[in-house]
Amino acid sequence: MARYSSTLVAAVGLNPAKVFQTFCALVAAPQEKLSIDRLDLIGTKRSWEVFSAQLTTFTAGLDQAARHYHVPPPVLRFHLLWDRQSAHPITDLHTTEHHVAAWRQVFDIVESLVSQSDLVIGTFPGARKALTQAMILAFQLLARPRDRLVQVIVPNACAARLPAPASLAKYRMRALISDLPFLRVRELPATLRALDLDTLIAAVQPRLDDQSGPTLEFRVDATDTVLSVAVGNRILWPNHLGIRLRRRDLALWLYLARLRQLHGRQPPAYTPSSLESAFSEILPHYPPAPGPKPSQSAQQPLYPMNASTLRRAVALAPCPCCFREASELSAFVPERDRDLPDEYVRQAMSRIKRALVEFGLPMSQVDAIRFRGAGVRPNTAYGLHLDPNSILIRQIRS
């Protein structure tokens, strides 16, 4: 397989002159110092018909321009877009099927050129918007740091038609070359072969999920002593930022994180009777259910236990499998503070929150990473709201 130094791949429309001007602008610009070894054109059947009608003038102009600017003439290829369902060339991009087929072919072409060329430059002189979008998307997925998307703008007087090869020496073109910024996503968690239209969302989703909330990672030794805490692959503790956390706070945080990591493994079986018993103490704190209040003379509760109240209680109540009341966390509370365990746990919660804020996390992530209270006082329990899949606990062997 031949190896090329620079390749220009162009999604084309119905004006060969614009492609010619793009080639000339790139090889003529002193700041570019480019030698385009290969020119790949991608277009529909209509584009191919226009280029075929002017192919002699077009290729002769490229050869003459190469000699004029002292660069080798490029290898020219035209890639005709095909409708894969009908096995016919696509005349124009009208349907969803045409767009999908065009994008797949543009992707395959750009992928091949990236593997064969040290530098790939993409452009779309006069191409339809759908084909332009396909070229941009292919570069977003495949381009390396050195690959480029460019746009060449020339005065209207120069854009009308191809110059005759004999008059090329007198052909003067004032062109503006613009590099178009785009997002390179080659680091996506999928192989290049897997990045087709069907799996694009699946490839992007893990990255989006990673951005929605960082991971919380504890490293512990054989005795379950916390050695380090990392948030989103950054070391929170110990570090050189002056952020201090008490080891007792870290142990409490680790305990609640481990409970949260096991969340949902054994979901509790709630029934209306068990809910009524579990929430009988906190229901008086809720507003009454819609409708007239029952009279006291009827000796009915002021806030009746109904389906709406039960759903609200369940939504606001702490999860019984991974939240714990302060009295259940006495092992992490110093003996002198065990008379008021809730106060000490809240102080530990505040210290961790302050450390995460000093660490530079936004409040939305701080509230997900730290442990915090849930429920209605005095029936408050503490735990993590973080996605269990985002919690990592690694044991380090000495």
Side-chain angles (χ1 to χ4, degrees):
M1 181 182 297
R3 186 75 185 177
Y4 298 90
S5 175
S6 301
T7 296
L8 177 63
V9 54
V12 299
L14 304 178
N15 192 344
K18 291 185 177 181
V19 181
F20 176 80
Q21 291 154 4
T22 299
F23 173 81
C24 290
L26 290 172
V27 298
Q31 68 273 18
E32 296 290 340
K33 297 181 180 179
L34 280 175
S35 173
I36 304 297
D37 303 320
R38 175 170 172 168
L39 176 56
D40 285 73
L41 310 179
I42 306 174
T44 62
K45 183 180 178 181
R46 290 180 60 195
S47 301
W48 166 244
E49 291 171 348
V50 172
F51 272 80
S52 296
Q54 304 182 47
L55 187 59
T56 302
T57 303
F58 182 70
T59 54
L62 288 178
D63 291 343
Q64 183 69 19
R67 288 193 294 270
H68 181 73
Y69 296 116
H70 308 289
V71 295
V75 175
L76 178 63
R77 288 182 175 85
F78 193 102
H79 302 269
L80 181 60
L81 297 173
W82 290 81
D83 183 346
R84 296 190 174 185
Q85 292 184 345
S86 64
H88 293 300
I90 297 176
T91 302
D92 205 348
L93 298 173
H94 292 303
T95 67
T96 301
E97 291 74 16
H98 288 166
H99 292 159
V100 172
W103 186 86
R104 289 181 183 276
Q105 291 169 78
V106 171
F107 179 91
D108 290 339
I109 293 166
V110 173
E111 182 185 24
S112 176
L113 296 178
V114 166
S115 66
Q116 299 175 37
S117 307
D118 297 328
L119 169 67
V120 178
I121 303 174
T123 187
F124 20 81
R128 291 289 297 267
K129 291 181 180 178
L131 199 52
T132 298
Q133 176 63 23
M135 178 71 75
I136 295 174
L137 183 55
F139 267 73
Q140 286 177 332
L141 294 175
L142 299 167
R144 301 156 296 185
R146 57 185 175 276
D147 297 326
R148 302 163 58 190
L149 277 175
V150 302
Q151 182 180 28
V152 174
I153 301 175
V154 298
N156 291 333
C158 300
R161 57 187 178 84
L162 285 166
S167 63
L168 188 62
K170 300 179 182 179
Y171 183 70
R172 295 291 182 266
M173 181 181 60
R174 299 183 301 277
L176 175 63
I177 303 173
S178 302
D179 272 276
L180 304 180
F182 63 96
L183 180 65
R184 294 169 171 85
V185 291
R186 285 178 63 92
E187 296 82 9
L188 284 172
T191 63
L192 292 182
R193 287 294 179 186
L195 284 177
D196 57 21
L197 196 60
D198 298 328
T199 60
L200 174 60
I201 298 300
V204 173
Q205 194 61 48
R207 177 62 56 85
L208 297 179
D209 291 343
D210 288 345
Q211 292 177 349
S212 65
T215 57
L216 175 62
E217 179 179 348
F218 291 88
R219 291 177 178 266
V220 301
D221 62 14
T223 63
D224 232 19
T225 301
V226 177
L227 301 177
S228 68
V229 181
V231 177
N233 297 322
R234 293 172 55 203
I235 300 298
L236 169 69
W237 182 91
N239 59 35
H240 303 289
L241 302 177
I243 296 176
R244 296 181 179 180
L245 286 171
R246 301 182 183 183
R247 287 190 175 273
R248 197 184 298 268
D249 297 346
L250 296 173
L252 173 57
W253 198 8
L254 171 65
Y255 174 74
L256 295 174
R258 183 169 278 129
L259 292 177
R260 183 62 176 176
Q261 193 181 41
L262 300 176
H263 171 72
R265 301 289 177 85
Q266 295 178 344
Y270 286 125
T271 63
S273 59
S274 65
L275 281 174
E276 184 172 357
S277 174
F279 298 118
S280 59
E281 296 181 2
I282 65 173
L283 283 173
H285 297 276
Y286 290 106
K293 295 182 180 180
S295 63
Q296 296 289 342
S297 59
Q299 295 184 351
Q300 293 178 344
L302 182 61
Y303 305 106
M305 175 68 70
N306 54 30
S308 175
T309 308
L310 282 176
R311 285 194 296 269
R312 191 170 185 182
V314 172
L316 297 178
C319 175
C321 80
C322 53
F323 278 70
R324 295 291 183 268
E325 294 185 0
S327 58
E328 301 176 86
L329 303 173
S330 58
F332 306 98
V333 178
E335 290 189 14
R336 65 178 181 276
D337 296 321
R338 287 183 181 173
D339 292 339
L340 297 170
D342 188 76
E343 183 64 25
Y344 183 86
V345 172
R346 292 183 66 84
Q347 290 177 3
M349 181 176 65
S350 298
R351 284 191 290 268
I352 291 176
K353 176 182 177 180
R354 184 170 59 251
L356 291 170
V357 172
E358 293 175 359
F359 195 55
L361 292 181
M363 287 304 302
S364 60
Q365 294 184 2
V366 168
D367 286 338
I369 291 292
R370 71 184 178 102
F371 72 85
R372 53 196 175 105
V376 180
R377 293 185 183 182
N379 301 283
T380 303
Y382 299 89
L384 273 71
H385 293 264
L386 187 62
D387 180 357
N389 295 323
S390 298
I391 299 174
L392 305 173
I393 301 175
R394 305 185 187 279
Q395 189 173 64
I396 307 301
R397 296 179 180 179
S398 56

